[in-house]
Amino acid sequence: MSFDIALIIDSIPKMLMGIGLTFQLLFLSLALGTALGVMLLILRISGRWYLSWPTMIYIYIFRGTPILVQIFIIYYGLPQLEFVRDGIFWPILREPFGCAIVALTLNTGAYLSEIFRGGVLGVDRGLKEAGSALGLSVTDRFIYITAPIAIRLCLPAYSNDVVSLMKSTALASTITLLDMMGIARTIVAETYAPYEVFISVMVIYLIITWAIQRTFGWIEKRMSRHVRQ
Amino acid sequence: MSDSDVMSENIIQLENVDKFFGDFQALKNINLSVKKGERIVVCGPSGSGKSTMIRCINRLEEHNAGKIVVNGHELTSDVKDIDAVRSEVGMVFQSFNLFPHLSIVKNLMLAPQLVRKVSKAEARDVAMKYLERVKIPEQADKYPSQLSGGQQQRVAIARALCMNPKVMLFDEPTSALDPEMISEVLDVMTDLAKEGMTMIVVTHEMGFARSVADSVVFMDEGEIVEMNPPQEFFENPKSERTKLFLSQILTH
Amino acid sequence: MEAITGWWDDFFWGSLVVVELFFVALFLTILFGLIGAGSKLSGNKTAKAIANGYTIIFRGTPEILVLLLFYFGSAITMTAIAQIFDPTIKFVDIPPFWAGSLAIALIIGSYATETFRGAFLGVDPGQIEASRALGVSNLQTFIYVRIPAMWRLALPPFGNHMLSLIKDTALVAIIGLEETLFVAEQAIGTTGKPFTMYILVGAIYLGFSTIITLSVMRLEKYANKHLEVTR
């Protein structure tokens, strides 16, 4: 057993060809998942049971089952159903890429809405009262007081969730997508050199994680620059 | 005098107000009327219902029974009326509750812009005017966390004043402050009283009550026990509970 | 639905494998978490550096990558070692069960490290001082004051780690462990009903998550029962 440096040098550029797909999966499902998370949050805190209950059930199901199973249900499972094959979303659900985006979005949206809720609940009640006492409407209070403070509060958790999402994108390799992980698995299947290939791709993932954390660290610092430590 | 005349004269009127938190009755049959320009100081032991009472006046708490009329609006669950009342009744909290993400001047501009729909420039002018009145115009562009407690509370007063309220409610405005900062806040409140503002102040600052109040209300266990002009209240308290309370608070 | 009939047994045994995997990995997770937290809090620079490296790597790498690296890496290593003794051997691997539980425990253990560390530091120093001031020994203070205060703090985040753990067990099907997801793939092979089978797997996992959530809630209630305010 030896450590094949030439293989590493050879395989890193190949795996980097998949980084674009990894980023597409990450950014697209992050953007869609954030929008979904905000929507779910608003339904959840609407105070109307017929809106908040289904939302809670949705969140419960998507947080209570493995993302891998969700991906399999959407990619392998849904085509079993005729109305899906005849439906308008078929062009998306027919493609593994579309399925991966849908699964990652639905999953991360459930987690994000809970993170956002944590932020909203963390806003000091006194500040909302001060808003009420000034005569601000419910909507204005949410937009100008609760939301900006809640965003600051949930930024660390949001950043953790972005890292989780980035890690989940690697599961796209289980439905034939050739993201970085998919390419790495292909190379390992050909060369049977798991250490060289997997450790190299691991280093790339770690760099991405580091970059995400640095970016959010910087944003947090900027946003809280007026708060005295 | 007819009923409606009494209404128009009293800017705030509470009639037989009850308030429950679960099984606990926080307010028992409260009757209070406040005329325009009147200054009322409310005192009493902690848990006596004094904060709850003034929080009911701008409906931060909902009362369960009785009637509350503020500036001609009866407080019901009608949202329009509540917003109308809230924009005419200013409130200052024990814990300041300044918006930490907004600069001082933006804290003052927010409600006039959103509720009164005044222009940004005008809101800024009004904000600066009131910051000068509370004597901290130079802090306008700082953030709340950069100010001392006394300064923050003065900003909170200015923020309420920017809405040009007809009544100001103060909920223990000095009890979260270090002793050396209390007087700077009380000075601002005294100035405000001199200008004829209608005020209800929950406080234990008896010196302030003596020099500023038209009447002092003593509450205990959710009830108004006694209400008299300060002279009478301090020299000649009627009930035993008032005497006990005064002896505790004045000897300390 | 009738497609499932005939597969109930397999799904039952598959679920049992998930449960076994969960408990083995849970035990190892707590072990790794305590070792990691202890190292981070120790004065020893090397231990600290290793623990930091551990949490950075295992929290920043996709779970599936850790699992595959473990399984195939160990297989290569074991095969190489075995070939020293018997050159005719072609392939040796560690059982997927052990590769899987070890990989999952290392991943979740890296999160547990941070949780335990935070809980340890989160105990009010005043309580420790009070205990020491009463003449209670260091060790006794640790056992009777610090640990009880600490596990109360660690429990809510650790409950979330347990949920992550149970969900990560699904990944082990990828390296061929015969748990529910693997059973589902076999069942699909003969019945051609992927939706039905995968939904069933989802339902099984939802059941496990519910049990864990309820257990953690009960434990939290127990941990905080004397902190409840009585009116």
Side-chain angles (χ1 to χ4, degrees):
Chain A
M1 195 182 78
S2 62
F3 214 70
D4 189 344
I5 306 283
L7 176 61
I8 296 177
I9 293 167
D10 190 42
S11 59
I12 284 185
K14 282 187 196 159
M15 290 186 292
L16 282 176
M17 302 230 296
I19 206 169
L21 187 54
T22 296
F23 281 147
Q24 278 178 35
L25 289 167
L26 173 62
F27 291 125
L28 204 52
S29 41
L30 182 62
L32 294 171
T34 303
L36 177 64
V38 172
M39 254 170 54
L40 291 171
L41 167 76
I42 291 168
L43 294 176
R44 176 86 199 266
I45 61 174
S46 64
R48 295 188 180 85
W49 67 268
Y50 52 88
L51 297 178
S52 61
W53 276 45
T55 314
M56 279 163 73
I57 293 169
Y58 172 88
I59 293 169
Y60 184 70
I61 289 176
F62 276 85
R63 284 168 29 116
T65 53
I67 169 93
L68 184 65
V69 175
Q70 292 163 19
I71 291 174
F72 282 6
I73 290 175
I74 290 169
Y75 180 67
Y76 295 115
L78 288 183
Q80 181 193 324
L81 309 173
E82 203 167 312
F83 70 88
V84 173
R85 292 198 304 269
D86 297 338
I88 49 163
F89 293 114
W90 186 236
I92 295 170
L93 294 171
R94 198 175 49 195
E95 301 295 333
F97 180 76
C99 287
I101 293 289
V102 169
L104 292 171
T105 298
L106 294 179
N107 183 273
T108 208
Y111 282 92
L112 285 177
S113 82
E114 284 298 280
I115 289 173
F116 296 155
R117 196 171 76 99
V120 167
L121 293 180
V123 176
D124 185 0
R125 230 187 64 169
L127 299 177
K128 293 180 216 167
E129 282 184 353
S132 315
L134 288 166
L136 266 55
S137 68
V138 179
T139 320
D140 280 348
R141 254 161 25 217
F142 188 81
I143 297 174
Y144 293 97
I145 299 170
T146 308
I149 298 170
I151 289 171
R152 284 167 176 76
L153 289 178
C154 60
L155 211 55
Y158 186 83
S159 135
N160 284 338
D161 200 73
V162 176
V163 173
S164 293
L165 178 62
M166 192 277 291
K167 295 197 286 177
S168 298
T169 60
L171 295 176
S173 66
T174 62
I175 52 171
T176 74
L177 283 174
L178 289 177
D179 67 326
M180 282 202 300
M181 189 68 209
I183 295 172
R185 289 175 72 177
T186 317
I187 300 174
V188 171
E190 286 163 2
T191 61
Y192 215 72
Y195 285 120
E196 290 86 340
V197 177
F198 283 151
I199 290 177
S200 308
V201 77
M202 187 187 255
V203 171
I204 303 176
Y205 275 116
L206 285 173
I207 292 171
I208 300 177
T209 302
W210 175 82
I212 293 171
Q213 285 165 342
R214 281 302 291 263
T215 308
F216 277 96
W218 179 78
I219 297 174
E220 257 174 72
K221 217 169 159 184
R222 265 193 70 87
M223 277 190 142
S224 54
R225 64 190 185 282
H226 55 270
V227 180
R228 193 167 50 186
Q229 295 304 312
Chain B
M1 207 187 279
S2 78
D3 217 36
S4 64
D5 283 342
V6 176
M7 280 300 175
S8 61
E9 194 187 338
N10 289 334
I11 193 157
I12 294 173
Q13 177 101 22
L14 283 77
E15 284 172 29
N16 309 323
V17 171
D18 288 338
K19 166 74 190 167
F20 290 87
F21 291 111
D23 292 337
F24 176 71
Q25 185 164 10
L27 294 179
K28 295 174 189 160
N29 195 30
I30 298 288
N31 287 286
L32 179 74
S33 42
V34 181
K35 293 190 189 65
K36 203 169 178 337
E38 223 179 347
R39 275 93 54 171
I40 311 281
V41 163
V42 184
C43 60
S46 69
S48 61
K50 44 195 198 312
S51 287
T52 308
M53 182 177 79
I54 71 165
R55 287 165 62 86
C56 279
I57 292 174
N58 66 354
R59 214 177 169 78
L60 288 178
E61 305 285 356
E62 288 179 26
H63 57 288
N64 302 110
K67 187 171 164 185
I68 301 178
V69 181
V70 180
N71 199 28
H73 301 275
E74 177 170 0
L75 297 188
T76 57
S77 49
D78 187 341
V79 180
K80 272 223 158 70
D81 267 357
I82 296 166
D83 283 346
V85 165
R86 282 175 174 165
S87 59
E88 286 165 9
V89 177
M91 176 124 182
V92 175
F93 299 86
Q94 180 178 348
S95 50
F96 329 137
N97 293 344
L98 295 181
F99 306 129
H101 60 297
L102 300 177
S103 68
I104 297 304
V105 67
K106 292 248 168 72
N107 259 278
L108 271 64
M109 290 160 65
L110 184 72
Q113 280 184 279
L114 293 176
V115 182
R116 299 263 191 262
K117 313 282 181 209
V118 305
S119 71
K120 198 172 169 182
E122 195 183 331
R124 201 181 170 88
D125 288 346
V126 174
M128 289 313 295
K129 184 180 101 187
Y130 283 108
L131 279 181
E132 265 157 43
R133 266 185 57 183
V134 299
K135 302 178 187 78
I136 34 176
E138 72 283 2
Q139 311 285 3
D141 293 315
K142 288 193 180 168
Y143 284 90
S145 61
Q146 296 168 305
L147 269 56
S148 73
Q151 291 173 325
Q152 288 193 48
Q153 194 61 298
R154 278 145 65 196
V155 172
I157 295 172
R159 180 176 68 178
L161 290 175
C162 281
M163 291 295 284
N164 203 9
K166 299 196 166 55
V167 184
M168 286 284 282
L169 307 175
F170 293 83
D171 188 3
E172 306 206 28
T174 56
S175 45
L177 294 176
D178 293 333
E180 73 273 16
M181 293 173 183
I182 291 177
S183 66
E184 62 184 74
V185 172
L186 291 181
D187 286 349
V188 168
M189 290 165 63
T190 308
D191 287 348
L192 206 56
K194 278 185 197 145
E195 288 157 24
M197 175 64 79
T198 312
M199 297 162 72
I200 303 181
V201 183
V202 173
T203 187
H204 288 163
E205 296 296 329
M206 290 303 135
F208 176 80
R210 234 183 251 273
S211 62
V212 173
D214 295 310
S215 2
V216 181
V217 172
F218 174 68
M219 289 183 73
D220 194 14
E221 297 183 342
E223 293 172 308
I224 293 184
V225 177
E226 196 163 335
M227 175 166 175
N228 270 315
Q231 184 84 7
E232 179 79 4
F233 182 84
F234 290 109
E235 315 287 308
N236 192 12
K238 299 278 178 309
S239 89
E240 286 307 311
R241 283 195 274 180
T242 316
K243 283 179 198 163
L244 180 66
F245 176 74
L246 285 176
S247 73
Q248 284 168 341
I249 203 159
L250 293 178
T251 50
H252 283 296
Chain C
M1 254 315 187
E2 67 270 26
I4 301 173
T5 333
W7 289 95
W8 285 118
D9 276 10
D10 304 77
F11 275 108
F12 173 77
W13 293 113
S15 305
L16 216 58
V17 173
V18 172
V19 173
E20 281 175 55
L21 194 60
F22 174 78
F23 281 108
V24 171
L26 179 63
F27 174 77
L28 293 173
T29 295
I30 295 173
L31 194 68
F32 295 148
L34 288 176
I35 295 172
S39 313
K40 282 206 175 188
L41 291 166
S42 76
N44 187 321
K45 272 202 177 125
T46 320
K48 233 185 228 176
I50 293 173
N52 283 335
Y54 166 57
T55 50
I56 289 172
I57 289 171
F58 284 88
R59 298 199 316 164
T61 313
E63 294 83 353
I64 184 178
L65 177 54
V66 175
L67 182 72
L68 294 180
L69 178 61
F70 247 76
Y71 180 64
F72 290 113
S74 64
I76 283 252
T77 309
M78 303 259 294
T79 307
I81 293 169
Q83 281 172 345
I84 296 171
F85 301 101
D86 181 357
T88 58
I89 289 175
K90 286 273 183 295
F91 183 80
V92 186
D93 67 348
I94 51 173
F97 183 90
W98 290 101
S101 43
L102 205 60
I104 293 174
L106 279 168
I107 294 165
I108 311 291
S110 67
Y111 289 90
T113 295
E114 298 297 351
T115 298
F116 292 157
R117 180 181 159 272
F120 196 83
L121 293 175
V123 177
D124 176 9
Q127 290 179 20
I128 311 297
E129 277 173 17
S131 170
R132 296 292 293 129
L134 288 165
V136 180
S137 78
N138 254 330
L139 183 66
Q140 283 172 320
T141 301
F142 186 81
I143 295 171
Y144 294 103
V145 181
R146 187 148 234 166
I147 298 274
M150 185 186 140
W151 87 283
R152 206 170 288 132
L153 292 176
L155 198 54
F158 195 76
N160 284 333
H161 299 337
M162 289 203 281
L163 287 173
S164 304
L165 200 165
I166 192 83
K167 288 184 281 177
D168 280 354
T169 60
L171 293 172
V172 189
I174 295 172
I175 55 169
L177 182 67
E178 294 173 349
E179 44 80 276
T180 49
L181 198 58
F182 190 86
V183 172
E185 276 160 30
Q186 290 178 317
I188 291 159
T190 47
T191 62
K193 299 271 189 233
F195 185 76
T196 319
M197 297 302 168
Y198 286 134
I199 287 284
L200 180 61
V201 175
I204 291 170
Y205 272 102
L206 200 59
F208 285 138
S209 298
T210 307
I211 294 169
I212 293 172
T213 307
L214 293 177
S215 313
V216 172
M217 270 164 65
R218 278 195 68 138
L219 269 175
E220 275 180 49
K221 218 172 164 184
Y222 171 78
N224 296 318
K225 65 174 189 289
H226 55 279
L227 301 179
E228 272 170 32
V229 185
T230 45
R231 260 189 201 258

